[in-house]
Structure formats: structure tokens, C-alpha cells
């Protein structure tokens, strides 16, 4: 039988009252020490319930005589079903001698190892559920547990319950703070598509939330390179820059980040003392710089995109030691920023590719001007040289002349479009009959329609007069007809030119594959394509140039389509003002 002096109880209750509840591990150790003091037992431990498989795990055990802490042992329900049934069904499990109780036989190995005889287990409830067991173990001799012992044990279990609920609240608040932090970083990265700037944001936002030091290394599967590194203090930044310059991003070099890349896993160094760093393969100069930075703990986590490793983030702290929870948070951070950094990189690559394409189109346009000028001169010479008795040849030369002029103007428009010029197009407005212009263009396309097996159906009002640029409008009609032939091959193409109130409406309709609904809104954008490049070639400029010409005429253009039902392009232009 045990007895607890009154002054000891009072002193213990005072310890409970001033116990810090924000540090779960420290508070739990204090409770276990108090358990040993109040109930005069050698061992006290807290075991939490786990699922899948059902088990209890020792979160912390305290051995009074040795001032020793234990943790990590797991007992599954399958290995000790009678014990689990007891702790779930009774309020207090008090056993005088575990060696004589058949219900405890499954745990005989544990009891024998620690010389345990008496056992007093009480449940710990948190948030309305059985969360764990507070265990008191007497060694050496059997123990007769008194009602006073039981009351003290239950009081201590309630203290643990309050600590657990406080820990749950802290975890919930911490999760909210971390979620808000991740959202803020995502928002900051979304505002920049510059990879270099994005890398700086990643490391700067990572401190001091995740550590005092942060470095970001890029990786492409073969080589690694430094992207950015940051320290919370300017003086530390200078040392960190020297460290990065001297011991950069050699994939075969030392350092936790490089090791994480080689092993393809996150790594945590809880204690980064000199002996540990030397064992990790760091040279004296590297260790000296880390010592100057006062690094106490380091962790490295990988950036992944679609199962590919794209980099590594390394964090270090000076005033505490990282744990597994810190690693999980850092991994969540790396997962989020990895995708955003990859998007910034892909955007930069796309911009570079578009710039190269623009440069090519601009150069090609300039190079085309010389042969087109020579071709126009040759056509003029042919016109003068052909006798009037050869009408067929004259018509052919006239067609070549018109197409050469159209090609020359189209080249100018392509050059302007490639440069993303926002100024006015070089158009020359005159009064013209749009119906006659459309008829002339369709005649030029007659052979193309025949080869594509498309039946052209033209309906045009007479005397549809507008103010416009003849060559520019020929380009508009040509592009719309070319699209209809390309995507409506073998099907009829309907063209109409009608007066519509105070406007003139040109409609070109095909019965081909149509345009996907999600691409309708962007079909007139620069370099946008209505269908896959795999099956239909083109630069994605034709409709963009068409829309710019229509807009220069103060008109509108729209596309209507359903996949498999063809596409309809409608152009509306203002009628000519009265003379």
C-alpha cells in the first residue's frame, strides 16, 4: 500500500497548475514524472490509440529511478485482444500482480523485461473519444492499489485530456496558419511569371516561417544549379553567398541538398554539429561556414512535377531542432511551389519560342519583298508583251498580277502581326463594291474548290458599296475561303453578301469538322489554332490577321460552330457614307 504526504500532493498540484501546455512533449514528461511521484511507482507511460491496424503506441514513458525516457513501442490489438477488451470496457484497470492474471498473459514478455508486477491503467478521453491510456507500473513486488491511488490516476488522466485538447487546438490553428501561408505564397508566385523572380520569392517567403536560412537548387535529371538563397540577416546573407559560391550545386558534391537529390528523398538532420557534418562528408571550409551561420538543424525536401524531380529546397535553423512535423510542412511547401515554378519556367520557354517565331516571320517577310517586287515587274512586262489575240494568257497574267499584289500586302501584314504592332495597318481606303470583290476572289479559288471537292454556293446582292481597302478585304475573303476548304473538304461551302440594316454582312459557312467550343473565344487570337497542328498545318495567324483587317474597317467578325457541324464566320462592315 502506498501513502503520499499531503505536502507532496500540494506541491504536485502546484506543478500541474503552472505547467506549460503549449509544449506537448515537455508537458507530457512533467505529467509522467508527477505520476511516479504521487503514486510512488517506478514507471509511468502514455499510450495513444492508432487505427489500421488497431494498436496502442507509447508516446512517452518515464523510468523514475533512472530518469530515463522511452518511446515508440507498439502493441497491436491482434497480439493482445484480452487486454484491449479490458481497457475499452472498464474505467480503471487495477491489477495487483500481472503474473497471476491470465488476461495479461499476452503481455508477459513486456512485463518480464521491465520486472513489472502491479499495473494501474486509466483511460484518457479527448474530444469525446478514447484517445489513450495512462499507465502506472509497479516493479519488484505485487501492488495493492487503493481508492486514493485510483483517484489520483484519474485526476492525472483528466490533466492529460486537457493537454490533448490543447494540442488539438494548437494543431488546428497551426494548420490554418500554414494553409494561409501556402495560399499567400501561391498568390505571390501567381503574380510573376519570371522564373528568376519566382525563385527569389520562394526562398524569401520560406524564411522565417520554415527556417532562418533557405536555398533553392534546380535540377533537370542530370545537372543541378543554384537558383536563389536567403538568410534572415544581412550579415548571414554574405556568409551564405560565400558558401553557395564555394560549394555550389555540384550534384556529386557534399551537402544535404545534393544528397537528397541523389537519394531522391527528403532528408532531415536534427542535430547539425561538427561531428555530424564531418561524418556527412563536408570539408573543413564548408563546416566553418556552417558554424559561422550558427546552423543547428537542417532539412532538405524535393520539388516534384508529374513524378519528375525538378529541384531541392534546403532549410536551416539556428535556435531549435527540426522534427518530422517540420519536414511534412516543408514537403507541403515544396509540393506547392514546385508546380508554380514549373509553370513560370514553361511560360518563359513559350515566350522565348514565340519571340523566335516572330523574328523568323519578320525576317521571312523582309526577304519575300525582293522576289515579290521582281515578280510584279515581270508580270507587267508580260502584259505588255502578250498580243491582244491571246485572251486566255491575258487572264492568266491578270490572275498572277492580282495574286502577287495580294501576296505582297499579306506579307506586310504578317510582318506587322509578328511584331505585335498596335498601330494602324497600312490600308488604302477607296469606294468599292464588296459583292464584286467577293465574286472575283471566288473565281480565283475555283480550281482549289474543284480539287477539294467543295461545291461553292455564292449569294450576293448587287451594288453592295462600302469604303474599304481592296487588297485587305481580298485577304479577309481569301483567308475565310481557305479555312472553309481546309476544314470542310468534300462538303459544300456557302458564301453570301447581303445588306443588313446599316451594315453589309459577309457570311462564309462550311460543313466540315467544326471548332471545339472551348476554342471559339480565342480563335481570332494571335497564334491560336482551332484544331490540332497534328492534322492541319498553319501558323495560327490567318484568322488573327483577318480580324485585325476587319477591325481596321470599323467592322466586326464572329465565329459560330459546333463540333462535327461545320463553322460559320460572319463579317459585318459599315455601308459607304452617302457621296
Amino acid at each position: 500500500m502506498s501513502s503520499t504526504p499531503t505536502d507532496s500532493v500540494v506541491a504536485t498540484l502546484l506543478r500541474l497548475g503552472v505547467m506549460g501546455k503549449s509544449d506537448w512533449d515537455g508537458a507530457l514528461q512533467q505529467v509522467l514524472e508527477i505520476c511516479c511521484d504521487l503514486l510512488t511507482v517506478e514507471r509511468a507511460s502514455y499510450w495513444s490509440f492508432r487505427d489500421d491496424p488497431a494498436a496502442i503506441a507509447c508516446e512517452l514513458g518515464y523510468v523514475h529511478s533512472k530518469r530515463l525516457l522511452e518511446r515508440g513501442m507498439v502493441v497491436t490489438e491482434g497480439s493482445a485482444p484480452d487486454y484491449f477488451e479490458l481497457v475499452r470496457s472498464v474505467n480503471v484497470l487495477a491489477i495487483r500482480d500481472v503474473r497471476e492474471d491470465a488476461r495479461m498473459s499476452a503481455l508477459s514478455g513486456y512485463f518480464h523485461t521491465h520486472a513489472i508486477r502491479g499495473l494501474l491503467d486509466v483511460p484518457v478521453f479527448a474530444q469525446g473519444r478514447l484517445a489513450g491510456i495512462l499507465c502506472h507500473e509497479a516493479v519488484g513486488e505485487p501492488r495493492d492499489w487503493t481508492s486514493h491511488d485510483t483517484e489520483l490516476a484519474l485526476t492525472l488522466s483528466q490533466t492529460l485530456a486537457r493537454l490533448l485538447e490543447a494540442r488539438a487546438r494548437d494543431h488546428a490553428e497551426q494548420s490554418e496558419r500554414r494553409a494561409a501561408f501556402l495560399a499567400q505564397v501561391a498568390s505571390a508566385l501567381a503574380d510573376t511569371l519570371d522564373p528568376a523572380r519566382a525563385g527569389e520569392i520562394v526562398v524569401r517567403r520560406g524564411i522565417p516561417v520554415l527556417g532562418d536560412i533557405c536555398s533553392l537548387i534546380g535540377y533537370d535529371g542530370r545537372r543541378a544549379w543554384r537558383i536563389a538563397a536567403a538568410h534572415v540577416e544581412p550579415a548571414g546573407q554574405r556568409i551564405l553567398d560565400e558558401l553557395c559560391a564555394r560549394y555550389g550545386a555540384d550534384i556529386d558534391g557534399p551537402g544535404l541538398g545534393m544528397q537528397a537529390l541523389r537519394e531522391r528523398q527528403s532528408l532531415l538532420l536534427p542535430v547539425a554539429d561538427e561531428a555530424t557534418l564531418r561524418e556527412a562528408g563536408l570539408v573543413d571550409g564548408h563546416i566553418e561556414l556552417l558554424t559561422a551561420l550558427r546552423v543547428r538543424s537542417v532539412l532538405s525536401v524535393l520539388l516534384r512535377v508529374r513524378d519528375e524531380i525538378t529541384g531541392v529546397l534546403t532549410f536551416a535553423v539556428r535556435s531549435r531542432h527540426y522534427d518530422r512535423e517540420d519536414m511534412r510542412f516543408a514537403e507541403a511547401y515544396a509540393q506547392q511551389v514546385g508546380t508554380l515554378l514549373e509553370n513560370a519556367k514553361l511560360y518563359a520557354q513559350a515566350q522565348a519560342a514565340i519571340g523566335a517565331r516572330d523574328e523568323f516571320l519578320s525576317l521571312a517577310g523582309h526577304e519575300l519583298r525582293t522576289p515579290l517586287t521582281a515578280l510584279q515587274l515581270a508580270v507587267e512586262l508580260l502584259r505588255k508583251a502578250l498580243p491582244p489575240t491571246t485572251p486566255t494568257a491575258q487572264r492568266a497574267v491578270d490572275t498572277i498580277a492580282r495574286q502577287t499584289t495580294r501576296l505582297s500586302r499579306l506579307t506586310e501584314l504578317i510582318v506587322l502581326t509578328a511584331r505585335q504592332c498596335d498601330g494602324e495597318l497600312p490600308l488604302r481606303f477607296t469606294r468599292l463594291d464588296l459583292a464584286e470583290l467577293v465574286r472575283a476572289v471566288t473565281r480565283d479559288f475555283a480550281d482549289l474548290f474543284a480539287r477539294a471537292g467543295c461545291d461553292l454556293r455564292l449569294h450576293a446582292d448587287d451594288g453592295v458599296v462600302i469604303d474599304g481597302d481592296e487588297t485587305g478585304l481580298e485577304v479577309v475573303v481569301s483567308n475565310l475561303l481557305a479555312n472553309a476548304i481546309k476544314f470542310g473538304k468534300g462538303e459544300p461551302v456557302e458564301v453570301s453578301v447581303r445588306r443588313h440594316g446599316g451594315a453589309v454582312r459577309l457570311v462564309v459557312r462550311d460543313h466540315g469538322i467544326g471548332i471545339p467550343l472551348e476554342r471559339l473565344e480565342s480563335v481570332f487570337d494571335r497564334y491560336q489554332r482551332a484544331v490540332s497542328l497534328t492534322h492541319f498545318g498553319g501558323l495560327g495567324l490567318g484568322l488573327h490577321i483577318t480580324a485585325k483587317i476587319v477591325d481596321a474597317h470599323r467592322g466586326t467578325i464572329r465565329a459560330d460552330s459546333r463540333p462535327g457541324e461545320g463553322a460559320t464566320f460572319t463579317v459585318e462592315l459599315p455601308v459607304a457614307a452617302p457621296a
Side-chain angles (χ1 to χ4, degrees):
M1 181 176 293
S2 67
S3 62
T4 306
T6 302
D7 58 349
S8 176
V9 173
V10 171
T12 301
L13 292 175
L14 287 173
R15 287 170 63 190
L16 285 173
V18 299
M19 184 184 300
K21 296 180 175 59
S22 59
D23 177 8
W24 160 253
D25 290 328
L28 177 57
Q29 179 178 337
Q30 289 185 61
V31 169
L32 297 180
E33 290 177 3
I34 291 169
C35 288
C36 290
D37 289 342
L38 285 182
L39 278 79
T40 60
V41 294
E42 171 66 1
R43 305 174 61 87
S45 54
Y46 173 68
W47 302 68
S48 60
F49 277 95
R50 294 183 179 177
D51 299 321
D52 194 26
I56 53 172
C58 179
E59 288 207 26
L60 195 65
Y62 178 68
V63 183
H64 181 265
S65 62
K66 300 179 181 179
R67 297 293 189 266
L68 179 69
L69 295 175
E70 305 171 333
R71 64 171 293 146
M73 184 175 179
V74 177
V75 178
T76 63
E77 184 170 8
S79 66
D82 292 340
Y83 175 76
F84 275 78
E85 183 178 353
L86 282 170
V87 297
R88 286 196 176 106
S89 60
V90 301
N91 191 38
V92 175
L93 178 60
I95 298 178
R96 180 179 181 275
D97 190 345
V98 294
R99 300 179 185 178
E100 298 177 356
D101 195 317
R103 300 171 299 178
M104 299 291 104
S105 59
L107 300 175
S108 59
Y110 170 77
F111 295 143
H112 177 74
T113 299
H114 300 292
I116 297 168
R117 297 295 293 274
L119 182 68
L120 178 62
D121 287 356
V122 292
V124 179
F125 291 91
Q127 296 178 320
R129 57 180 289 273
L130 181 61
I133 303 164
L134 180 58
C135 182
H136 308 82
E137 299 162 341
V139 302
E141 300 295 332
R143 173 72 176 265
D144 292 309
W145 304 101
T146 67
S147 59
H148 182 61
D149 294 332
T150 300
E151 290 173 4
L152 286 174
L154 290 172
T155 298
L156 291 165
S157 77
Q158 291 171 7
T159 299
L160 266 187
R162 289 193 293 272
L163 288 171
L164 282 171
E165 290 173 352
R167 181 174 70 163
R169 288 193 297 271
D170 288 344
H171 279 184
E173 292 171 359
Q174 187 180 60
S175 296
E176 288 181 7
R177 289 194 299 270
R178 289 180 172 179
F181 166 72
L182 292 175
Q184 290 170 0
V185 173
S187 177
L189 286 173
D191 290 338
T192 179
L193 290 171
D194 175 12
R197 173 62 180 150
E200 286 291 337
I201 291 173
V202 167
V203 297
R204 289 293 172 190
R205 290 298 182 107
I207 57 175
V209 177
L210 281 154
D212 302 312
I213 301 168
C214 176
S215 72
L216 173 62
I217 300 293
Y219 182 65
D220 63 4
R222 296 176 294 102
R223 64 183 185 91
W225 63 93
R226 177 192 176 190
I227 297 176
H231 193 286
V232 291
E233 297 174 353
Q237 184 68 51
R238 289 190 290 272
I239 300 174
L240 179 60
D241 289 340
E242 181 182 352
L243 176 68
C244 293
R246 290 173 58 183
Y247 307 99
D250 180 6
I251 187 62
D252 296 318
L256 200 67
M258 295 301 102
Q259 184 180 348
L261 285 176
R262 291 193 297 269
E263 297 182 4
R264 304 177 65 85
Q265 63 179 346
S266 299
L267 296 176
L268 168 61
L269 201 62
V271 180
D273 57 18
E274 181 178 347
T276 304
L277 295 174
R278 197 170 298 281
E279 186 178 345
L282 272 63
V283 297
D284 289 341
H286 202 159
I287 295 173
E288 288 172 4
L289 290 172
L290 288 174
T291 302
L293 289 168
R294 305 198 307 278
V295 170
R296 294 187 63 183
S297 189
V298 185
L299 67 84
S300 292
V301 291
L302 300 177
L303 278 65
R304 298 178 186 268
V305 177
R306 297 180 295 276
D307 296 327
E308 293 293 327
I309 296 173
T310 60
V312 59
L313 272 168
T314 298
F315 298 96
V317 285
R318 301 174 298 172
S319 58
R320 64 184 182 91
H321 298 288
Y322 284 129
D323 57 21
R324 286 172 295 177
E325 185 65 27
D326 294 311
M327 178 177 280
R328 283 191 288 269
F329 181 30
E331 287 174 336
Y333 183 68
Q335 180 181 2
Q336 181 152 3
V337 302
T339 301
L340 293 168
L341 286 173
E342 183 70 8
N343 290 343
K345 184 183 79 173
L346 292 176
Y347 178 80
Q349 291 175 347
Q351 290 298 102
I354 290 172
R357 179 163 57 180
D358 289 348
E359 183 68 18
F360 168 76
L361 289 173
S362 182
L363 290 172
H366 286 295
E367 292 300 319
L368 283 172
R369 286 172 178 168
T370 299
L372 283 172
T373 301
L375 184 59
Q376 287 173 328
L377 291 173
V379 169
E380 290 301 319
L381 290 174
L382 278 174
R383 269 183 173 155
K384 294 175 181 178
L386 282 173
T389 56
T390 55
T392 302
Q394 286 285 358
R395 283 197 300 272
V397 172
D398 289 342
T399 300
I400 294 172
R402 285 197 306 274
Q403 296 300 333
T404 302
T405 301
R406 188 179 299 164
L407 182 57
S408 179
R409 298 294 302 283
L410 180 58
T411 300
E412 292 182 29
L413 293 171
I414 289 175
V415 171
L416 287 170
T417 304
R419 292 174 177 170
Q420 288 185 303
C421 293
D422 295 324
E424 294 185 0
L425 296 177
L427 303 180
R428 294 180 280 274
F429 284 79
T430 60
R431 187 148 295 192
L432 54 85
D433 188 328
L434 183 62
E436 283 302 317
L437 183 145
V438 172
R439 290 190 187 101
V441 175
T442 55
R443 283 195 298 270
D444 292 341
F445 271 74
D447 288 343
L448 294 176
F449 276 104
R451 291 176 187 175
C454 295
D455 178 21
L456 175 63
R457 302 169 184 175
L458 174 61
H459 306 278
D461 292 343
D462 293 327
V464 183
V465 180
I466 65 170
D467 291 321
D469 178 270
E470 181 176 3
T471 305
L473 291 173
E474 286 177 347
V475 169
V476 169
V477 178
S478 298
N479 284 344
L480 294 180
L481 292 179
N483 259 21
I485 292 173
K486 182 190 295 185
F487 302 118
K489 188 174 182 180
E491 299 293 335
V493 175
E494 300 164 10
V495 181
S496 66
V497 184
R498 306 283 193 191
R499 295 185 188 85
H500 185 76
V504 175
R505 180 176 288 177
L506 164 66
V507 178
V508 178
R509 180 184 180 190
D510 67 67
H511 297 271
I513 61 174
I515 302 171
L517 295 178
E518 67 273 12
R519 297 191 179 183
L520 268 178
E521 291 186 2
S522 61
V523 75
F524 298 109
D525 291 347
R526 186 168 173 262
Y527 296 136
Q528 292 299 311
R529 300 174 47 79
V531 296
S532 170
L533 182 62
T534 304
H535 300 98
F536 296 93
L539 292 170
L541 280 174
L543 290 177
H544 177 65
I545 292 173
T546 298
K548 287 184 72 71
I549 295 172
V550 171
D551 183 66
H553 283 76
R554 300 183 302 282
T556 61
I557 183 170
R558 69 175 185 272
D560 299 292
S561 179
R562 289 182 180 276
E565 298 181 10
T568 301
F569 289 88
T570 303
V571 176
E572 288 195 0
L573 300 169
V575 297

